[in-house]
Amino acid sequence: MQDGPLQGLRVIDASTILAGPLCAQILGDFGADVVKIEHPVTGDGMRGHGRSKDGTPIWWKEISRNKRALALSLSAPEGAEILLRLAARSDVLIENFRPGTLERWGIGPDRLHEANPSLIIVRVTGFGQRGPYAGRAGFGTLAESMSGFAYMTGEADGPPTLPAFGLADSLCGIAASSATAMALWHRDRDPERRGQVIDLSLLEPLMTAVGPAPTVYDQLGVVEERHGNRSTNNAPRNTYRTADGHWLAVSTSAQRIAERVLRLVGHPEVVEEPWFATGHGRAAHADLLDKFVGGWIAGRTREDVIEEFTAAGAAIAPVYSAADIVDDPHIRETEMLTSVPDPDFGPMLMHNVMWRMSRTPGRIRFTGRALGADTDALLVDELGLDPAEVASLRERRIVT
């Protein structure tokens, strides 16, 4: 049971870079047997993302954990045929090629469903499988731009701001794992156990996360603008610097929290102002509230501010670097990070499984593997190919 609720599920991860692989990582973390397919010569481009240690990519160890590695050229007819044989004994296939690519190789959804009518096919693209942008190259940066995220992020007098990490891809990967679970639930209650195709773009999950700006525009004709760290919904809400040079974030989404903060910083009189009674009213007076809160915090150390806010029942958190995250006692004690043995690095710290389940918690069984590490085991031992045939495929660079 320690392998999670998806034990016995077979997933083919034929996707690259981040969104699709993250979806497969989550499924693998909770017990699925994931087969990672990469190009036999170039591998997954994700191997080149992020920092390396002694020439070995670090991020790869996490994003491809719990995945067996098969190096297979899907564009070659022989490789396409092997994929169909794998799909026939699998539950889920995840891919993120441009629309029409699998169809061009003869392994589109129709052909895959001929091989396995119960297969769930997760198709992750920049803009979806149809529409005027479907054929465009799609990357998270483009989704972060078009979703409204960049337009609303940054200082009011500064440029639109992009995240320094794969925000759109990560949200999409998490959404894809949820969509996959829904499709499996439906399939397993269908008398005919029919699979289906999931069409998921990088754009839509991030559009949802940005909030109801399109609806506000539709109803009011108002375009939400950038406000830095402030919010149009409540105040005080900002980052503030302490006397010892650290940054703290304060949130007052709840009215009672806002009242506690202003009383704590020595300005109970503003709590009685009529405008203080609503989040929008406080947001309209953000300059004044930031002056009160920022001035109080600036005269104290980070430790003292957090202690006093916590004692007052007010909401505050430090702005953490990676080093701070690793050292935090709550993150350590709750095992949000965990140490995993790796053949290249020895013990290595990485994000744990994403949520806690009391009966089927899931686990990290092994870290990301070398290119083609499981090719022979999958093709010879599971599919029954002759070793000489695999050797021939290897010579022709159809497998590695």
Side-chain angles (χ1 to χ4, degrees):
M1 296 296 288
Q2 293 299 310
D3 281 349
L6 302 181
Q7 192 169 0
L9 195 78
R10 167 66 68 82
V11 176
I12 300 173
D13 177 10
S15 60
T16 60
I17 306 298
L18 184 51
L22 178 57
C23 172
Q25 178 210 305
I26 294 169
L27 300 178
D29 285 351
F30 288 96
D33 173 21
V34 181
V35 176
K36 171 67 182 178
I37 294 179
E38 302 176 74
H39 191 277
V41 178
T42 60
D44 184 345
M46 194 70 197
R47 290 183 181 271
H49 278 236
R51 296 182 182 271
S52 296
K53 180 180 179 181
D54 299 328
T56 301
I58 294 174
W59 198 354
W60 179 260
K61 297 290 187 175
E62 179 170 324
I63 196 69
S64 284
R65 68 194 191 193
N66 294 332
K67 301 178 186 181
R68 295 193 285 165
L70 169 63
L72 178 68
S73 174
L74 299 181
S75 63
E78 299 93 334
E81 183 59 35
I82 289 173
L83 178 70
L84 290 172
R85 292 180 62 177
L86 284 170
R89 55 175 65 199
S90 298
D91 298 280
V92 178
L93 182 143
I94 304 166
E95 65 95 5
N96 66 343
F97 298 101
R98 285 200 199 187
T101 300
L102 288 188
E103 288 83 351
R104 189 171 69 251
W105 293 340
I107 44 177
D110 290 347
R111 185 68 186 90
L112 288 164
H113 278 149
E114 286 179 13
N116 181 358
S118 298
L119 187 68
I120 306 300
I121 304 171
V122 184
R123 313 195 79 176
V124 178
T125 55
F127 303 102
Q129 295 292 319
R130 61 185 181 86
Y133 303 157
R136 290 185 180 181
F139 297 100
T141 299
L142 310 187
E144 289 146 9
S145 298
M146 293 179 64
S147 64
F149 175 86
Y151 188 88
M152 294 175 65
T153 303
E155 296 297 329
D157 58 352
T161 303
L162 294 167
F165 54 93
L167 177 62
D169 279 271
S170 297
L171 285 177
C172 184
I174 297 168
S177 70
S178 176
T180 301
M182 293 180 193
L184 289 167
W185 174 274
H186 177 267
R187 183 199 69 177
D188 291 346
R189 281 150 186 78
D190 183 348
E192 299 180 22
R193 283 184 57 83
R194 290 168 296 180
Q196 60 181 297
V197 177
I198 298 171
D199 178 6
L200 180 61
S201 73
L202 295 177
L203 185 57
E204 288 178 273
L206 187 51
M207 282 177 60
T208 300
V210 168
T215 307
V216 170
Y217 176 73
D218 173 69
Q219 294 297 307
L220 301 177
V222 173
V223 174
E224 300 286 1
E225 300 290 341
R226 292 184 290 284
H227 301 281
N229 290 326
R230 289 178 173 175
S231 169
T232 57
N233 299 315
N234 64 82
R237 192 265 197 181
N238 214 324
T239 57
Y240 307 93
R241 195 167 192 177
T242 64
D244 52 348
H246 296 286
W247 289 92
L248 297 171
V250 172
S251 176
T252 57
S253 295
Q255 179 69 24
R256 288 185 179 180
I257 300 295
E259 293 172 4
R260 291 170 188 169
V261 168
L262 268 298
R263 290 192 175 104
L264 173 64
V265 302
H267 289 279
E269 74 281 358
V270 298
V271 175
E272 307 305 322
E273 294 287 346
W275 53 262
F276 197 87
T278 67
H280 284 293
R282 297 196 307 274
H285 293 78
D287 285 341
L288 177 65
L289 298 178
D290 275 348
K291 176 184 175 182
F292 290 158
V293 175
W296 186 88
I297 289 176
R300 292 162 174 81
T301 66
R302 177 173 70 173
E303 183 178 352
D304 288 342
V305 173
I306 292 176
E307 183 177 335
E308 293 197 46
F309 262 71
T310 302
I316 196 165
V319 176
Y320 271 176
S321 69
D324 296 320
I325 292 170
V326 169
D327 289 338
D328 183 88
H330 180 84
I331 290 172
R332 283 287 194 178
E333 185 174 326
T334 57
E335 298 182 286
M336 295 181 188
L337 298 175
T338 188
S339 182
V340 182
D342 178 77
D344 297 308
F345 299 145
M348 65 180 304
L349 198 67
M350 64 175 60
H351 299 103
N352 206 342
V353 298
M354 201 174 294
W355 49 82
R356 308 291 177 261
M357 301 181 71
S358 62
R359 294 186 59 201
T360 54
R363 65 188 177 99
I364 303 169
R365 302 183 295 280
F366 52 88
T367 58
R369 292 166 66 74
L371 180 65
D374 301 288
T375 295
D376 286 329
L378 285 161
L379 299 190
V380 177
D381 299 342
E382 292 198 20
L383 294 187
L385 272 65
D386 187 277
E389 182 181 355
V390 175
S392 174
L393 293 171
R394 190 167 276 124
E395 287 178 4
R396 290 177 285 154
R397 294 190 171 185
I398 295 173
V399 304
T400 295

